[in-house]
Amino acid sequence: EGLELTDSRIVPAQEELAPGILFQGGVSDSNVARNVFVTPSTAARPAYVNGETSVGQPSSNVNFINNTFTSGSVGGGIVLGIEATDSTVAQNDFNATSRYGQLEIFGEDVEVENNSFAATDGFQIRDDGDSIDQEVIESNEFERAALVDGPADGSQGVYGSLSTAVENAAKDTTIVLAPGTYNRADINTDNITIEGPNADTPAHERDATDLSG
């Protein structure tokens, strides 16, 4: 309890799925702030907080504030995974990319705001704890962001491309787009609705989002 990890440079070992920092579970009231997480070339996990989901020991109030995850790829790893409830992920730069994803949330009541996400092949945010909604694409910075509220696997997700969002959308799902330029996507799932950032704005007041490509 009460861990403060600040102003450090953290480098994972050059091993498959090696963590930079790993909370074992049952941790609370901890802050990770102003650190630089160096992205290795292996399928690593620069930072992961275990909790009820993985180890059966709940974690809570573990906050990641103003950290930088350096550019590069973690392959099929995860940049930041957090199973702690009642936590905050804010003002971080997710420059690292991943075929799997950048930020994965399992805990409930996790605030995600004022972060910057680089475009990536996998998800930018995946939420299994019902912590995010449409506001997440308004309160964070994305080059492109497509929110799927109801993917086929039951989670919520923000993806860096429209095509990846469509691939992960279940039947009768709505995809909400942040402002940006998107390449076209082939839709093979029934009853998908795609809403742009101006869906609730009168037509004469809209700034068009380019969906061609």
PDB file of all heavy atoms in Angstrom, residues 39 72-79 94-103 116-126 141-146 158-165 168:
ATOM      1  N   THR A  39      10.048   1.574 -24.350  1.00  0.00           N
ATOM      2  CA  THR A  39       9.390   0.493 -25.072  1.00  0.00           C
ATOM      3  C   THR A  39      10.440  -0.411 -25.715  1.00  0.00           C
ATOM      4  O   THR A  39      11.213   0.038 -26.565  1.00  0.00           O
ATOM      5  CB  THR A  39       8.478   1.057 -26.160  1.00  0.00           C
ATOM      6  OG1 THR A  39       7.534   1.936 -25.549  1.00  0.00           O
ATOM      7  CG2 THR A  39       7.737  -0.060 -26.874  1.00  0.00           C
ATOM      8  N   GLY A  72       7.654   3.175 -30.280  1.00  0.00           N
ATOM      9  CA  GLY A  72       8.142   1.829 -30.555  1.00  0.00           C
ATOM     10  C   GLY A  72       6.982   0.865 -30.411  1.00  0.00           C
ATOM     11  O   GLY A  72       5.860   1.261 -30.100  1.00  0.00           O
ATOM     12  N   SER A  73       7.242  -0.402 -30.636  1.00  0.00           N
ATOM     13  CA  SER A  73       6.180  -1.403 -30.578  1.00  0.00           C
ATOM     14  C   SER A  73       6.450  -2.428 -29.487  1.00  0.00           C
ATOM     15  O   SER A  73       7.584  -2.871 -29.311  1.00  0.00           O
ATOM     16  CB  SER A  73       6.048  -2.120 -31.921  1.00  0.00           C
ATOM     17  OG  SER A  73       5.098  -3.167 -31.837  1.00  0.00           O
ATOM     18  N   VAL A  74       5.388  -2.782 -28.749  1.00  0.00           N
ATOM     19  CA  VAL A  74       5.495  -3.874 -27.776  1.00  0.00           C
ATOM     20  C   VAL A  74       4.992  -5.174 -28.392  1.00  0.00           C
ATOM     21  O   VAL A  74       4.689  -6.134 -27.689  1.00  0.00           O
ATOM     22  CB  VAL A  74       4.730  -3.558 -26.476  1.00  0.00           C
ATOM     23  CG1 VAL A  74       5.311  -2.346 -25.799  1.00  0.00           C
ATOM     24  CG2 VAL A  74       3.232  -3.371 -26.722  1.00  0.00           C
ATOM     25  N   GLY A  75       4.893  -5.198 -29.719  1.00  0.00           N
ATOM     26  CA  GLY A  75       4.474  -6.414 -30.408  1.00  0.00           C
ATOM     27  C   GLY A  75       3.058  -6.804 -30.031  1.00  0.00           C
ATOM     28  O   GLY A  75       2.117  -6.039 -30.163  1.00  0.00           O
ATOM     29  N   GLY A  76       2.888  -8.018 -29.506  1.00  0.00           N
ATOM     30  CA  GLY A  76       1.574  -8.476 -29.091  1.00  0.00           C
ATOM     31  C   GLY A  76       1.288  -8.238 -27.628  1.00  0.00           C
ATOM     32  O   GLY A  76       0.333  -8.774 -27.082  1.00  0.00           O
ATOM     33  N   GLY A  77       2.121  -7.413 -26.964  1.00  0.00           N
ATOM     34  CA  GLY A  77       1.915  -7.131 -25.549  1.00  0.00           C
ATOM     35  C   GLY A  77       0.944  -5.991 -25.327  1.00  0.00           C
ATOM     36  O   GLY A  77       0.357  -5.443 -26.258  1.00  0.00           O
ATOM     37  N   ILE A  78       0.782  -5.602 -24.075  1.00  0.00           N
ATOM     38  CA  ILE A  78      -0.093  -4.504 -23.682  1.00  0.00           C
ATOM     39  C   ILE A  78       0.776  -3.389 -23.109  1.00  0.00           C
ATOM     40  O   ILE A  78       1.730  -3.654 -22.369  1.00  0.00           O
ATOM     41  CB  ILE A  78      -1.149  -4.981 -22.655  1.00  0.00           C
ATOM     42  CG1 ILE A  78      -2.069  -3.836 -22.242  1.00  0.00           C
ATOM     43  CG2 ILE A  78      -0.498  -5.581 -21.411  1.00  0.00           C
ATOM     44  CD1 ILE A  78      -3.064  -3.481 -23.289  1.00  0.00           C
ATOM     45  N   VAL A  79       0.466  -2.144 -23.444  1.00  0.00           N
ATOM     46  CA  VAL A  79       1.275  -1.039 -22.945  1.00  0.00           C
ATOM     47  C   VAL A  79       0.986  -0.791 -21.464  1.00  0.00           C
ATOM     48  O   VAL A  79       1.889  -0.739 -20.635  1.00  0.00           O
ATOM     49  CB  VAL A  79       1.031   0.232 -23.779  1.00  0.00           C
ATOM     50  CG1 VAL A  79       1.855   1.400 -23.237  1.00  0.00           C
ATOM     51  CG2 VAL A  79       1.384  -0.016 -25.252  1.00  0.00           C
ATOM     52  N   PHE A  94       0.727   7.914 -24.655  1.00  0.00           N
ATOM     53  CA  PHE A  94       0.832   6.532 -25.128  1.00  0.00           C
ATOM     54  C   PHE A  94       1.412   6.560 -26.545  1.00  0.00           C
ATOM     55  O   PHE A  94       0.700   6.419 -27.538  1.00  0.00           O
ATOM     56  CB  PHE A  94      -0.540   5.851 -25.108  1.00  0.00           C
ATOM     57  CG  PHE A  94      -1.046   5.538 -23.736  1.00  0.00           C
ATOM     58  CD1 PHE A  94      -1.788   6.465 -23.012  1.00  0.00           C
ATOM     59  CD2 PHE A  94      -0.783   4.308 -23.149  1.00  0.00           C
ATOM     60  CE1 PHE A  94      -2.262   6.179 -21.746  1.00  0.00           C
ATOM     61  CE2 PHE A  94      -1.255   4.006 -21.867  1.00  0.00           C
ATOM     62  CZ  PHE A  94      -1.988   4.945 -21.167  1.00  0.00           C
ATOM     63  N   ASN A  95       2.726   6.737 -26.616  1.00  0.00           N
ATOM     64  CA  ASN A  95       3.402   6.760 -27.913  1.00  0.00           C
ATOM     65  C   ASN A  95       3.720   5.355 -28.407  1.00  0.00           C
ATOM     66  O   ASN A  95       3.946   5.152 -29.607  1.00  0.00           O
ATOM     67  CB  ASN A  95       4.685   7.576 -27.822  1.00  0.00           C
ATOM     68  CG  ASN A  95       4.417   9.029 -27.468  1.00  0.00           C
ATOM     69  OD1 ASN A  95       3.488   9.641 -27.990  1.00  0.00           O
ATOM     70  ND2 ASN A  95       5.207   9.588 -26.562  1.00  0.00           N
ATOM     71  N   ALA A  96       3.780   4.388 -27.504  1.00  0.00           N
ATOM     72  CA  ALA A  96       4.071   3.005 -27.881  1.00  0.00           C
ATOM     73  C   ALA A  96       2.868   2.390 -28.587  1.00  0.00           C
ATOM     74  O   ALA A  96       1.716   2.640 -28.230  1.00  0.00           O
ATOM     75  CB  ALA A  96       4.418   2.190 -26.641  1.00  0.00           C
ATOM     76  N   THR A  97       3.135   1.582 -29.599  1.00  0.00           N
ATOM     77  CA  THR A  97       2.074   0.909 -30.342  1.00  0.00           C
ATOM     78  C   THR A  97       2.093  -0.587 -30.036  1.00  0.00           C
ATOM     79  O   THR A  97       3.055  -1.117 -29.481  1.00  0.00           O
ATOM     80  CB  THR A  97       2.231   1.134 -31.848  1.00  0.00           C
ATOM     81  OG1 THR A  97       3.498   0.597 -32.275  1.00  0.00           O
ATOM     82  CG2 THR A  97       2.168   2.621 -32.178  1.00  0.00           C
ATOM     83  N   SER A  98       1.015  -1.263 -30.438  1.00  0.00           N
ATOM     84  CA  SER A  98       0.880  -2.686 -30.134  1.00  0.00           C
ATOM     85  C   SER A  98      -0.102  -3.332 -31.104  1.00  0.00           C
ATOM     86  O   SER A  98      -1.115  -2.726 -31.459  1.00  0.00           O
ATOM     87  CB  SER A  98       0.377  -2.878 -28.699  1.00  0.00           C
ATOM     88  OG  SER A  98       0.025  -4.222 -28.456  1.00  0.00           O
ATOM     89  N   ARG A  99       0.195  -4.560 -31.506  1.00  0.00           N
ATOM     90  CA  ARG A  99      -0.787  -5.312 -32.293  1.00  0.00           C
ATOM     91  C   ARG A  99      -1.987  -5.678 -31.430  1.00  0.00           C
ATOM     92  O   ARG A  99      -3.074  -5.929 -31.940  1.00  0.00           O
ATOM     93  CB  ARG A  99      -0.157  -6.582 -32.858  1.00  0.00           C
ATOM     94  CG  ARG A  99       0.944  -6.343 -33.885  1.00  0.00           C
ATOM     95  CD  ARG A  99       1.307  -7.638 -34.604  1.00  0.00           C
ATOM     96  NE  ARG A  99       1.623  -8.711 -33.676  1.00  0.00           N
ATOM     97  CZ  ARG A  99       2.838  -8.915 -33.162  1.00  0.00           C
ATOM     98  NH1 ARG A  99       3.832  -8.108 -33.488  1.00  0.00           N
ATOM     99  NH2 ARG A  99       3.059  -9.918 -32.348  1.00  0.00           N
ATOM    100  N   TYR A 100      -1.780  -5.756 -30.110  1.00  0.00           N
ATOM    101  CA  TYR A 100      -2.874  -6.097 -29.192  1.00  0.00           C
ATOM    102  C   TYR A 100      -3.575  -4.821 -28.721  1.00  0.00           C
ATOM    103  O   TYR A 100      -4.741  -4.595 -29.049  1.00  0.00           O
ATOM    104  CB  TYR A 100      -2.327  -6.893 -28.008  1.00  0.00           C
ATOM    105  CG  TYR A 100      -3.399  -7.270 -27.006  1.00  0.00           C
ATOM    106  CD1 TYR A 100      -4.430  -8.129 -27.373  1.00  0.00           C
ATOM    107  CD2 TYR A 100      -3.376  -6.767 -25.705  1.00  0.00           C
ATOM    108  CE1 TYR A 100      -5.431  -8.465 -26.462  1.00  0.00           C
ATOM    109  CE2 TYR A 100      -4.361  -7.104 -24.802  1.00  0.00           C
ATOM    110  CZ  TYR A 100      -5.386  -7.953 -25.183  1.00  0.00           C
ATOM    111  OH  TYR A 100      -6.366  -8.276 -24.282  1.00  0.00           O
ATOM    112  N   GLY A 101      -2.908  -3.980 -27.929  1.00  0.00           N
ATOM    113  CA  GLY A 101      -3.572  -2.767 -27.488  1.00  0.00           C
ATOM    114  C   GLY A 101      -2.717  -1.924 -26.558  1.00  0.00           C
ATOM    115  O   GLY A 101      -1.684  -2.366 -26.059  1.00  0.00           O
ATOM    116  N   GLN A 102      -3.172  -0.694 -26.330  1.00  0.00           N
ATOM    117  CA  GLN A 102      -2.410   0.255 -25.526  1.00  0.00           C
ATOM    118  C   GLN A 102      -2.870   0.288 -24.068  1.00  0.00           C
ATOM    119  O   GLN A 102      -2.059   0.171 -23.159  1.00  0.00           O
ATOM    120  CB  GLN A 102      -2.509   1.643 -26.159  1.00  0.00           C
ATOM    121  CG  GLN A 102      -1.752   1.753 -27.473  1.00  0.00           C
ATOM    122  CD  GLN A 102      -2.071   3.026 -28.222  1.00  0.00           C
ATOM    123  OE1 GLN A 102      -3.238   3.389 -28.377  1.00  0.00           O
ATOM    124  NE2 GLN A 102      -1.056   3.709 -28.704  1.00  0.00           N
ATOM    125  N   LEU A 103      -4.143   0.500 -23.802  1.00  0.00           N
ATOM    126  CA  LEU A 103      -4.648   0.614 -22.434  1.00  0.00           C
ATOM    127  C   LEU A 103      -5.810  -0.354 -22.256  1.00  0.00           C
ATOM    128  O   LEU A 103      -6.821  -0.255 -22.954  1.00  0.00           O
ATOM    129  CB  LEU A 103      -5.120   2.042 -22.145  1.00  0.00           C
ATOM    130  CG  LEU A 103      -5.866   2.272 -20.828  1.00  0.00           C
ATOM    131  CD1 LEU A 103      -4.993   1.937 -19.618  1.00  0.00           C
ATOM    132  CD2 LEU A 103      -6.372   3.710 -20.737  1.00  0.00           C
ATOM    133  N   SER A 116      -2.890  11.173 -24.365  1.00  0.00           N
ATOM    134  CA  SER A 116      -2.633  11.239 -25.795  1.00  0.00           C
ATOM    135  C   SER A 116      -2.291   9.844 -26.306  1.00  0.00           C
ATOM    136  O   SER A 116      -1.402   9.186 -25.755  1.00  0.00           O
ATOM    137  CB  SER A 116      -1.480  12.210 -26.080  1.00  0.00           C
ATOM    138  OG  SER A 116      -1.156  12.209 -27.452  1.00  0.00           O
ATOM    139  N   PHE A 117      -3.014   9.403 -27.346  1.00  0.00           N
ATOM    140  CA  PHE A 117      -2.832   8.053 -27.876  1.00  0.00           C
ATOM    141  C   PHE A 117      -2.334   8.119 -29.317  1.00  0.00           C
ATOM    142  O   PHE A 117      -2.973   8.733 -30.177  1.00  0.00           O
ATOM    143  CB  PHE A 117      -4.151   7.276 -27.845  1.00  0.00           C
ATOM    144  CG  PHE A 117      -4.635   6.925 -26.467  1.00  0.00           C
ATOM    145  CD1 PHE A 117      -5.430   7.815 -25.756  1.00  0.00           C
ATOM    146  CD2 PHE A 117      -4.297   5.715 -25.886  1.00  0.00           C
ATOM    147  CE1 PHE A 117      -5.883   7.505 -24.474  1.00  0.00           C
ATOM    148  CE2 PHE A 117      -4.741   5.396 -24.612  1.00  0.00           C
ATOM    149  CZ  PHE A 117      -5.539   6.284 -23.905  1.00  0.00           C
ATOM    150  N   ALA A 118      -1.196   7.470 -29.586  1.00  0.00           N
ATOM    151  CA  ALA A 118      -0.731   7.323 -30.967  1.00  0.00           C
ATOM    152  C   ALA A 118      -1.612   6.297 -31.674  1.00  0.00           C
ATOM    153  O   ALA A 118      -2.204   5.416 -31.046  1.00  0.00           O
ATOM    154  CB  ALA A 118       0.728   6.862 -30.979  1.00  0.00           C
ATOM    155  N   ALA A 119      -1.703   6.431 -32.990  1.00  0.00           N
ATOM    156  CA  ALA A 119      -2.441   5.434 -33.763  1.00  0.00           C
ATOM    157  C   ALA A 119      -1.746   4.080 -33.652  1.00  0.00           C
ATOM    158  O   ALA A 119      -0.520   3.994 -33.645  1.00  0.00           O
ATOM    159  CB  ALA A 119      -2.523   5.863 -35.225  1.00  0.00           C
ATOM    160  N   THR A 120      -2.525   3.015 -33.550  1.00  0.00           N
ATOM    161  CA  THR A 120      -1.958   1.683 -33.348  1.00  0.00           C
ATOM    162  C   THR A 120      -2.808   0.649 -34.065  1.00  0.00           C
ATOM    163  O   THR A 120      -3.962   0.913 -34.433  1.00  0.00           O
ATOM    164  CB  THR A 120      -1.870   1.350 -31.842  1.00  0.00           C
ATOM    165  OG1 THR A 120      -1.119   0.147 -31.657  1.00  0.00           O
ATOM    166  CG2 THR A 120      -3.251   1.193 -31.220  1.00  0.00           C
ATOM    167  N   ASP A 121      -2.243  -0.547 -34.298  1.00  0.00           N
ATOM    168  CA  ASP A 121      -2.976  -1.595 -35.017  1.00  0.00           C
ATOM    169  C   ASP A 121      -4.075  -2.215 -34.164  1.00  0.00           C
ATOM    170  O   ASP A 121      -5.111  -2.616 -34.676  1.00  0.00           O
ATOM    171  CB  ASP A 121      -2.016  -2.691 -35.480  1.00  0.00           C
ATOM    172  CG  ASP A 121      -1.042  -2.203 -36.533  1.00  0.00           C
ATOM    173  OD1 ASP A 121      -1.391  -1.244 -37.257  1.00  0.00           O
ATOM    174  OD2 ASP A 121       0.057  -2.770 -36.632  1.00  0.00           O
ATOM    175  N   GLY A 122      -3.831  -2.335 -32.856  1.00  0.00           N
ATOM    176  CA  GLY A 122      -4.821  -2.942 -31.972  1.00  0.00           C
ATOM    177  C   GLY A 122      -5.765  -1.889 -31.408  1.00  0.00           C
ATOM    178  O   GLY A 122      -5.965  -0.823 -31.994  1.00  0.00           O
ATOM    179  N   PHE A 123      -6.346  -2.174 -30.247  1.00  0.00           N
ATOM    180  CA  PHE A 123      -7.209  -1.179 -29.627  1.00  0.00           C
ATOM    181  C   PHE A 123      -6.368  -0.106 -28.942  1.00  0.00           C
ATOM    182  O   PHE A 123      -5.224  -0.332 -28.544  1.00  0.00           O
ATOM    183  CB  PHE A 123      -8.173  -1.828 -28.623  1.00  0.00           C
ATOM    184  CG  PHE A 123      -7.513  -2.587 -27.504  1.00  0.00           C
ATOM    185  CD1 PHE A 123      -6.976  -1.932 -26.405  1.00  0.00           C
ATOM    186  CD2 PHE A 123      -7.448  -3.976 -27.536  1.00  0.00           C
ATOM    187  CE1 PHE A 123      -6.369  -2.627 -25.373  1.00  0.00           C
ATOM    188  CE2 PHE A 123      -6.839  -4.689 -26.505  1.00  0.00           C
ATOM    189  CZ  PHE A 123      -6.302  -4.009 -25.423  1.00  0.00           C
ATOM    190  N   GLN A 124      -6.946   1.063 -28.790  1.00  0.00           N
ATOM    191  CA  GLN A 124      -6.318   2.108 -27.997  1.00  0.00           C
ATOM    192  C   GLN A 124      -6.778   2.004 -26.543  1.00  0.00           C
ATOM    193  O   GLN A 124      -5.981   2.159 -25.630  1.00  0.00           O
ATOM    194  CB  GLN A 124      -6.640   3.475 -28.607  1.00  0.00           C
ATOM    195  CG  GLN A 124      -5.950   3.653 -29.955  1.00  0.00           C
ATOM    196  CD  GLN A 124      -6.467   4.843 -30.725  1.00  0.00           C
ATOM    197  OE1 GLN A 124      -7.659   4.961 -30.961  1.00  0.00           O
ATOM    198  NE2 GLN A 124      -5.574   5.720 -31.136  1.00  0.00           N
ATOM    199  N   ILE A 125      -8.055   1.745 -26.354  1.00  0.00           N
ATOM    200  CA  ILE A 125      -8.585   1.489 -25.013  1.00  0.00           C
ATOM    201  C   ILE A 125      -9.545   0.311 -25.111  1.00  0.00           C
ATOM    202  O   ILE A 125     -10.406   0.270 -25.989  1.00  0.00           O
ATOM    203  CB  ILE A 125      -9.353   2.705 -24.452  1.00  0.00           C
ATOM    204  CG1 ILE A 125      -8.478   3.963 -24.453  1.00  0.00           C
ATOM    205  CG2 ILE A 125      -9.852   2.419 -23.037  1.00  0.00           C
ATOM    206  CD1 ILE A 125      -9.231   5.222 -24.073  1.00  0.00           C
ATOM    207  N   ARG A 126      -9.396  -0.635 -24.211  1.00  0.00           N
ATOM    208  CA  ARG A 126     -10.361  -1.733 -24.076  1.00  0.00           C
ATOM    209  C   ARG A 126     -10.828  -1.739 -22.634  1.00  0.00           C
ATOM    210  O   ARG A 126     -10.020  -1.694 -21.706  1.00  0.00           O
ATOM    211  CB  ARG A 126      -9.714  -3.079 -24.415  1.00  0.00           C
ATOM    212  CG  ARG A 126     -10.616  -4.287 -24.123  1.00  0.00           C
ATOM    213  CD  ARG A 126      -9.838  -5.574 -24.280  1.00  0.00           C
ATOM    214  NE  ARG A 126     -10.530  -6.688 -23.680  1.00  0.00           N
ATOM    215  CZ  ARG A 126     -11.090  -7.686 -24.362  1.00  0.00           C
ATOM    216  NH1 ARG A 126     -11.026  -7.692 -25.678  1.00  0.00           N
ATOM    217  NH2 ARG A 126     -11.698  -8.677 -23.745  1.00  0.00           N
ATOM    218  N   GLU A 141      -6.923  12.677 -26.373  1.00  0.00           N
ATOM    219  CA  GLU A 141      -6.455  13.084 -27.696  1.00  0.00           C
ATOM    220  C   GLU A 141      -6.097  11.862 -28.521  1.00  0.00           C
ATOM    221  O   GLU A 141      -5.275  11.033 -28.105  1.00  0.00           O
ATOM    222  CB  GLU A 141      -5.241  14.005 -27.560  1.00  0.00           C
ATOM    223  CG  GLU A 141      -4.693  14.501 -28.894  1.00  0.00           C
ATOM    224  CD  GLU A 141      -3.480  15.396 -28.728  1.00  0.00           C
ATOM    225  OE1 GLU A 141      -3.246  15.901 -27.600  1.00  0.00           O
ATOM    226  OE2 GLU A 141      -2.753  15.584 -29.718  1.00  0.00           O
ATOM    227  N   PHE A 142      -6.730  11.755 -29.699  1.00  0.00           N
ATOM    228  CA  PHE A 142      -6.475  10.649 -30.619  1.00  0.00           C
ATOM    229  C   PHE A 142      -6.218  11.209 -32.016  1.00  0.00           C
ATOM    230  O   PHE A 142      -6.824  12.205 -32.408  1.00  0.00           O
ATOM    231  CB  PHE A 142      -7.689   9.720 -30.717  1.00  0.00           C
ATOM    232  CG  PHE A 142      -8.144   9.128 -29.420  1.00  0.00           C
ATOM    233  CD1 PHE A 142      -9.119   9.760 -28.658  1.00  0.00           C
ATOM    234  CD2 PHE A 142      -7.632   7.917 -28.970  1.00  0.00           C
ATOM    235  CE1 PHE A 142      -9.568   9.211 -27.466  1.00  0.00           C
ATOM    236  CE2 PHE A 142      -8.071   7.357 -27.783  1.00  0.00           C
ATOM    237  CZ  PHE A 142      -9.033   8.007 -27.020  1.00  0.00           C
ATOM    238  N   GLU A 143      -5.359  10.533 -32.768  1.00  0.00           N
ATOM    239  CA  GLU A 143      -5.258  10.848 -34.191  1.00  0.00           C
ATOM    240  C   GLU A 143      -6.538  10.421 -34.886  1.00  0.00           C
ATOM    241  O   GLU A 143      -7.085  11.141 -35.721  1.00  0.00           O
ATOM    242  CB  GLU A 143      -4.049  10.146 -34.798  1.00  0.00           C
ATOM    243  CG  GLU A 143      -3.826  10.449 -36.263  1.00  0.00           C
ATOM    244  CD  GLU A 143      -2.580   9.777 -36.806  1.00  0.00           C
ATOM    245  OE1 GLU A 143      -1.709   9.369 -36.006  1.00  0.00           O
ATOM    246  OE2 GLU A 143      -2.478   9.658 -38.040  1.00  0.00           O
ATOM    247  N   ARG A 144      -7.022   9.251 -34.528  1.00  0.00           N
ATOM    248  CA  ARG A 144      -8.334   8.733 -34.949  1.00  0.00           C
ATOM    249  C   ARG A 144      -8.854   7.879 -33.802  1.00  0.00           C
ATOM    250  O   ARG A 144      -8.078   7.230 -33.107  1.00  0.00           O
ATOM    251  CB  ARG A 144      -8.220   7.860 -36.210  1.00  0.00           C
ATOM    252  CG  ARG A 144      -7.803   8.594 -37.456  1.00  0.00           C
ATOM    253  CD  ARG A 144      -7.668   7.628 -38.632  1.00  0.00           C
ATOM    254  NE  ARG A 144      -6.644   6.616 -38.375  1.00  0.00           N
ATOM    255  CZ  ARG A 144      -5.352   6.809 -38.611  1.00  0.00           C
ATOM    256  NH1 ARG A 144      -4.920   7.961 -39.066  1.00  0.00           N
ATOM    257  NH2 ARG A 144      -4.486   5.851 -38.361  1.00  0.00           N
ATOM    258  N   ALA A 145     -10.168   7.853 -33.618  1.00  0.00           N
ATOM    259  CA  ALA A 145     -10.736   7.023 -32.562  1.00  0.00           C
ATOM    260  C   ALA A 145     -12.154   6.620 -32.930  1.00  0.00           C
ATOM    261  O   ALA A 145     -12.984   7.463 -33.278  1.00  0.00           O
ATOM    262  CB  ALA A 145     -10.736   7.767 -31.231  1.00  0.00           C
ATOM    263  N   ALA A 146     -12.413   5.331 -32.863  1.00  0.00           N
ATOM    264  CA  ALA A 146     -13.737   4.793 -33.126  1.00  0.00           C
ATOM    265  C   ALA A 146     -14.164   3.980 -31.906  1.00  0.00           C
ATOM    266  O   ALA A 146     -13.570   2.948 -31.596  1.00  0.00           O
ATOM    267  CB  ALA A 146     -13.731   3.916 -34.379  1.00  0.00           C
ATOM    268  N   VAL A 158     -12.056   1.340 -27.881  1.00  0.00           N
ATOM    269  CA  VAL A 158     -11.724   2.461 -28.756  1.00  0.00           C
ATOM    270  C   VAL A 158     -10.617   1.984 -29.681  1.00  0.00           C
ATOM    271  O   VAL A 158      -9.576   1.510 -29.221  1.00  0.00           O
ATOM    272  CB  VAL A 158     -11.264   3.695 -27.960  1.00  0.00           C
ATOM    273  CG1 VAL A 158     -10.878   4.821 -28.917  1.00  0.00           C
ATOM    274  CG2 VAL A 158     -12.358   4.161 -27.009  1.00  0.00           C
ATOM    275  N   TYR A 159     -10.842   2.125 -30.985  1.00  0.00           N
ATOM    276  CA  TYR A 159      -9.911   1.605 -31.974  1.00  0.00           C
ATOM    277  C   TYR A 159      -9.374   2.745 -32.838  1.00  0.00           C
ATOM    278  O   TYR A 159     -10.048   3.761 -33.042  1.00  0.00           O
ATOM    279  CB  TYR A 159     -10.598   0.553 -32.860  1.00  0.00           C
ATOM    280  CG  TYR A 159     -11.093  -0.634 -32.076  1.00  0.00           C
ATOM    281  CD1 TYR A 159     -12.368  -0.632 -31.514  1.00  0.00           C
ATOM    282  CD2 TYR A 159     -10.271  -1.732 -31.845  1.00  0.00           C
ATOM    283  CE1 TYR A 159     -12.815  -1.718 -30.765  1.00  0.00           C
ATOM    284  CE2 TYR A 159     -10.716  -2.818 -31.102  1.00  0.00           C
ATOM    285  CZ  TYR A 159     -11.985  -2.801 -30.564  1.00  0.00           C
ATOM    286  OH  TYR A 159     -12.418  -3.862 -29.820  1.00  0.00           O
ATOM    287  N   GLY A 160      -8.163   2.550 -33.374  1.00  0.00           N
ATOM    288  CA  GLY A 160      -7.507   3.582 -34.143  1.00  0.00           C
ATOM    289  C   GLY A 160      -7.880   3.605 -35.605  1.00  0.00           C
ATOM    290  O   GLY A 160      -7.388   4.431 -36.351  1.00  0.00           O
ATOM    291  N   SER A 161      -8.748   2.699 -36.031  1.00  0.00           N
ATOM    292  CA  SER A 161      -9.213   2.708 -37.420  1.00  0.00           C
ATOM    293  C   SER A 161     -10.662   2.258 -37.458  1.00  0.00           C
ATOM    294  O   SER A 161     -11.122   1.488 -36.607  1.00  0.00           O
ATOM    295  CB  SER A 161      -8.359   1.795 -38.305  1.00  0.00           C
ATOM    296  OG  SER A 161      -8.610   0.431 -38.020  1.00  0.00           O
ATOM    297  N   LEU A 162     -11.381   2.744 -38.453  1.00  0.00           N
ATOM    298  CA  LEU A 162     -12.781   2.345 -38.613  1.00  0.00           C
ATOM    299  C   LEU A 162     -12.892   0.874 -38.962  1.00  0.00           C
ATOM    300  O   LEU A 162     -13.772   0.164 -38.467  1.00  0.00           O
ATOM    301  CB  LEU A 162     -13.436   3.204 -39.695  1.00  0.00           C
ATOM    302  CG  LEU A 162     -14.905   2.909 -40.011  1.00  0.00           C
ATOM    303  CD1 LEU A 162     -15.776   3.030 -38.762  1.00  0.00           C
ATOM    304  CD2 LEU A 162     -15.407   3.833 -41.118  1.00  0.00           C
ATOM    305  N   SER A 163     -11.969   0.371 -39.790  1.00  0.00           N
ATOM    306  CA  SER A 163     -12.043  -1.036 -40.196  1.00  0.00           C
ATOM    307  C   SER A 163     -11.858  -1.969 -39.004  1.00  0.00           C
ATOM    308  O   SER A 163     -12.558  -2.982 -38.882  1.00  0.00           O
ATOM    309  CB  SER A 163     -11.000  -1.335 -41.274  1.00  0.00           C
ATOM    310  OG  SER A 163      -9.700  -1.041 -40.811  1.00  0.00           O
ATOM    311  N   THR A 164     -10.924  -1.632 -38.095  1.00  0.00           N
ATOM    312  CA  THR A 164     -10.729  -2.472 -36.908  1.00  0.00           C
ATOM    313  C   THR A 164     -11.945  -2.404 -35.991  1.00  0.00           C
ATOM    314  O   THR A 164     -12.343  -3.409 -35.398  1.00  0.00           O
ATOM    315  CB  THR A 164      -9.476  -2.032 -36.135  1.00  0.00           C
ATOM    316  OG1 THR A 164      -8.356  -2.032 -37.007  1.00  0.00           O
ATOM    317  CG2 THR A 164      -9.191  -2.978 -34.981  1.00  0.00           C
ATOM    318  N   ALA A 165     -12.542  -1.234 -35.875  1.00  0.00           N
ATOM    319  CA  ALA A 165     -13.756  -1.102 -35.068  1.00  0.00           C
ATOM    320  C   ALA A 165     -14.868  -1.960 -35.626  1.00  0.00           C
ATOM    321  O   ALA A 165     -15.572  -2.661 -34.881  1.00  0.00           O
ATOM    322  CB  ALA A 165     -14.182   0.360 -35.010  1.00  0.00           C
ATOM    323  N   ASN A 168     -14.566  -5.634 -34.883  1.00  0.00           N
ATOM    324  CA  ASN A 168     -14.825  -6.015 -33.498  1.00  0.00           C
ATOM    325  C   ASN A 168     -16.247  -5.710 -33.035  1.00  0.00           C
ATOM    326  O   ASN A 168     -16.576  -5.946 -31.871  1.00  0.00           O
ATOM    327  CB  ASN A 168     -13.836  -5.302 -32.579  1.00  0.00           C
ATOM    328  CG  ASN A 168     -12.445  -5.882 -32.655  1.00  0.00           C
ATOM    329  OD1 ASN A 168     -12.112  -6.847 -31.972  1.00  0.00           O
ATOM    330  ND2 ASN A 168     -11.611  -5.310 -33.520  1.00  0.00           N
TER     331      ASN A 168
END
